Amino acid sequence: MTKKGRILTGDRPTGQLHLGHYVGTLANRVRLQDEYEVFLLVADYHSLTTHPNKEDASATRPNSRELVLDYLAVGIDPEKTTIYRQSDVPSVTELCLIFAMLVTVPRVERIPTLKEVMDAQHIEQPSLGLLTYPVLQAADILHLRADLVPVGKDQESHVELTREIARRFNTLYGELFPEPAALIGEVPTLMGTDGQGKMSKSIGNAIMLADDAETVRQKVMSMYTDPKRIRADIPGTVEGNPVFQYHQAFNANKAEVAELEERYRAGKVGDVEVKKKLIVALNNFLDPIRERRAKNAAKPGLVDEILAAGADKVRPISADTVRRAREMMGLI
Ligand code: ATP
Ligand code: MG
């Protein structure tokens, strides 16, 4: 089958994947595996932008394994999708260096994720690496000359910068790069269990795809809901309430969700009932994912083989793009 184009997207190996990843980007990756040539990046260098110390840096290795197991668990097929680790393909950093000359410092300082990440992770001064994180991301996308980038809403501004960099390169040196489009998931931003912002793996407000049923129960029971509802007979707000956002995203029983919303708004249902039904819905959704995960985790060498094959496939594509870029610039 002729493919419609190329997809590149990825995740930082800072921990396991969560429900936000699923609705923000994983579901699209799985859905488009047949139509597109899909590449998934385990972005270990990106992890260093916020976690540069030795302990966190070396944790990217076991975390990479968890990430790949999560991919397989949600239905990524390694026969169709190429999975590779960023640091296994060093030529991407060469392209990042070239791109860094095409972007001003105020431009990267204006990217909204910078302030969000600094606030969330209590970083007072960004390192140069954190500042140029979206430039490396542009190189990740463009060294494979990808057309489509399935990401959560928080990453949209990074794809916009990638488009600007592609345009700038093409104008200065000649047409080499496509201007990739972002593909935002069905739920652009899934809130955290704390209701404070987006679910993030490094903030501790996430329900992981690998969480067992008891962990899911505990996390849901302590979730933030409408704070004004101190009694079940007080009318509640569904909008901006993470418990209902999760119901809408993961409860397959749509009639139950509609009925719960109606009763909640009328002050005719307690939070405990709404949460108990969410626990059932989430565990139904997660059960097959957990099963596939356990099966693959028991296969020794599987993840290493997938990552080695991925790097072997990506290296020549990347090297070819970088060589062409240097040629067009008149460097060779
Ligand atoms: P970290 O806290 O380490 O930054 P993260 O949870 O933000 O982790 P990333 O690896 O930065 O995860 O993001 C991977 C992909 O998942 C990106 O495309 C991002 O937009 C998407 N994503 C992450 N969190 C959410 C969310 N809560 N809702 C929707 N999409 C999300
Ligand atoms: Mg993030």
Side-chain angles (χ1 to χ4, degrees):
M1 190 175 104
T2 4
K3 302 283 180 176
K4 282 192 189 157
R6 204 174 258 180
I7 282 180
L8 178 289
T9 190
D11 310 276
R12 311 194 319 151
T14 44
Q16 293 176 332
L17 294 183
H18 52 64
L19 295 174
H21 294 113
Y22 189 85
V23 287
T25 157
L26 291 173
N28 272 335
R29 303 178 195 180
V30 175
R31 184 172 63 82
L32 296 172
Q33 278 183 115
D34 291 309
E35 286 168 58
Y36 284 79
E37 194 186 356
V38 181
F39 291 86
L40 295 189
L41 167 74
V42 176
D44 52 354
Y45 279 150
H46 284 306
S47 301
L48 306 181
T49 59
T50 50
H51 297 75
N53 64 43
K54 172 80 191 262
E55 202 186 323
D56 290 325
S58 49
T60 61
R61 291 182 69 80
N63 286 343
S64 298
R65 179 183 150 75
E66 297 296 312
L67 207 56
V68 176
L69 288 173
D70 280 334
Y71 291 162
L72 304 181
V74 295
I76 295 290
D77 178 351
E79 300 288 325
K80 297 177 185 163
T81 289
T82 305
I83 305 172
Y84 72 101
R85 211 170 27 192
Q86 195 173 29
S87 65
D88 285 338
V89 184
S91 48
V92 73
T93 60
E94 221 177 321
L95 195 60
C96 177
L97 180 84
I98 293 171
F99 286 170
M101 316 301 167
L102 310 182
V103 184
T104 66
V105 174
R107 176 65 184 91
V108 283
E109 279 174 341
R110 273 203 311 275
I111 293 176
T113 45
L114 177 66
K115 193 177 172 312
E116 282 161 24
V117 168
M118 285 173 62
D119 285 349
Q121 307 198 16
H122 313 292
I123 298 170
E124 274 175 27
Q125 288 293 336
S127 68
L128 214 47
L130 180 57
L131 205 58
T132 59
Y133 166 28
V135 181
L136 179 54
Q137 213 168 2
D140 292 325
I141 297 166
L142 295 177
H143 78 143
L144 295 178
R145 307 208 294 143
D147 312 284
L148 194 63
V149 190
V151 282
K153 182 82 183 159
D154 64 308
Q155 297 279 322
E156 201 174 23
S157 58
H158 295 189
V159 181
E160 188 47 46
L161 180 75
T162 304
R163 295 164 61 83
E164 279 175 38
I165 290 175
R167 268 200 299 275
R168 181 117 175 93
F169 185 97
N170 292 347
T171 308
L172 288 175
Y173 312 112
E175 280 297 318
L176 176 58
F177 296 112
E179 278 183 44
L183 177 68
I184 309 296
E186 208 164 281
V187 181
T189 305
L190 194 76
M191 276 180 270
T193 51
D194 55 1
Q196 295 308 306
K198 93 168 195 51
M199 183 178 280
S200 263
K201 56 175 130 62
S202 39
I203 296 180
N205 62 357
I207 296 178
M208 302 301 171
L209 298 175
D211 278 348
D212 60 30
E214 177 52 23
T215 308
V216 170
R217 192 190 68 77
Q218 283 170 15
K219 286 184 179 174
V220 171
M221 287 318 286
S222 56
M223 265 178 84
Y224 174 95
T225 58
D226 182 344
K228 293 191 296 294
R229 269 187 110 234
I230 41 175
R231 280 193 333 262
D233 59 355
I234 298 174
T237 311
V238 164
E239 289 71 30
N241 184 331
V243 177
F244 278 98
Q245 194 194 28
Y246 297 5
H247 261 300
Q248 287 153 7
F250 298 102
N251 190 340
N253 185 346
K254 298 296 163 212
E256 178 177 273
V257 178
E259 185 247 11
L260 283 175
E261 288 181 358
E262 203 183 301
R263 286 166 61 208
Y264 198 78
R265 288 199 174 101
K268 290 192 171 138
V269 63
D271 278 46
V272 172
E273 183 182 339
V274 181
K275 286 183 169 179
K276 281 194 169 152
K277 290 197 161 128
L278 179 61
I279 294 165
V280 173
L282 287 180
N283 282 325
N284 284 341
F285 170 78
L286 290 172
D287 269 341
I289 295 177
R290 292 178 184 129
E291 234 169 80
R292 260 198 302 256
R293 200 179 199 285
K295 226 188 266 167
N296 285 318
K299 294 180 191 161
L302 175 72
V303 171
D304 287 342
E305 279 163 31
I306 289 173
L307 288 175
D312 284 347
K313 179 158 174 200
V314 171
R315 264 188 224 109
I317 304 175
S318 174
D320 180 60
T321 308
V322 175
R323 187 188 47 76
R324 282 166 72 179
R326 291 171 61 224
E327 246 167 36
M328 293 176 86
M329 295 170 76
L331 292 171
I332 45 175

